[in-house]
Amino acid sequence: MDAMDRKILTELQQDGRLTVTELAARVQLSVSPCHRRVRDLERTGAIRGYRAVVDPAAIGLNFEALVFATLRWEDRDTVADFEQAVAAISHVIQAQRLFGEPDYLLRVATADLAAFQQLYDQQLATLPGVQRLTSTLVMKHVVNDRPLPE
C-alpha cells in the first residue's frame, strides 16, 4: 500500500458514493489507474464494503449503553457460545473481546431506558457463561464513525 492508495482510502471513507471519475480527480490520478487501484483495494480486503451511515435517532434508537461482560470461564466452548449468542442480538451494534477484565465490551442501542432494561433482563443477563455485567450510559458522542487515519 502506497501513498496513493492511502489517499484513495481517505477519500472513500469520507464519501463512499464517489464515482471513479470524481475520486480520480480528488486524488489527482487518471480514471483507469484509479479504478484499477480501487479494485485491488477491494480484492485484497483493504476495502471491506460500502454502506450508508444511518442516524440511530432517525429510526427510533435514542438510547445507547456500553455493557461490560465478564465470563465465568474463558474456555473455547464458553467463548464461542457467548460470541454466537451476542451476534444474534440485533440491538448489540458493536462487540469487542478485550484483554484482561472485563472480557467484552458491547455497544447497545435501544429506543429508550425501558427497552434497554427489557433487553438487559431478557437477553443480556442470560448470555451463556456470563459471571457479571456492568453498564454505563452514553451521554453524547464526541467522536463517532471517524475515518481511519492515513
Side-chain angles (χ1 to χ4, degrees):
M1 178 157 319
D2 62 13
M4 183 56 66
D5 288 339
R6 291 185 189 285
K7 284 182 184 178
I8 289 169
L9 291 173
T10 297
E11 291 297 329
L12 287 174
Q13 286 181 92
Q14 294 293 329
D15 185 356
R17 296 183 69 173
L18 288 173
T19 67
V20 174
T21 303
E22 292 168 329
L23 177 61
R26 287 189 185 190
V27 299
Q28 299 177 341
L29 192 63
S30 62
V31 173
S32 292
C34 182
H35 190 241
R36 187 170 43 255
R37 283 176 177 265
V38 169
R39 280 194 324 246
D40 287 344
L41 289 166
E42 292 169 343
R43 183 182 47 76
T44 62
I47 296 175
R48 296 188 311 200
Y50 300 89
R51 65 184 179 99
V53 178
V54 177
D55 178 6
I59 59 170
L61 299 175
N62 298 305
F63 185 87
E64 189 172 323
L66 301 177
V67 179
F68 301 93
T70 301
L71 301 183
R72 277 190 195 91
W73 305 280
E74 293 184 58
D75 61 276
R76 184 180 331 164
D77 291 338
T78 302
V79 167
D81 291 346
F82 176 85
E83 290 180 1
Q84 184 177 6
V86 165
I89 302 172
S90 63
H91 287 277
V92 175
I93 57 175
Q94 288 183 337
Q96 287 92 19
R97 186 171 180 195
L98 309 173
F99 277 108
E101 278 196 30
D103 298 310
Y104 288 87
L105 168 60
L106 312 178
R107 185 172 157 214
V108 177
T110 62
D112 53 29
L113 178 59
F116 174 71
Q117 181 203 344
Q118 183 176 8
L119 179 78
Y120 188 97
D121 292 345
Q122 294 177 3
Q123 294 182 54
L124 298 176
T126 65
L127 286 167
V130 169
Q131 175 183 339
R132 181 176 59 252
L133 294 174
T134 55
S135 302
T136 189
L137 307 181
V138 175
M139 184 184 303
K140 112 180 169 180
H141 289 274
V142 177
V143 176
N144 195 29
D145 294 324
R146 174 184 282 167
L148 295 172
E150 281 189 49

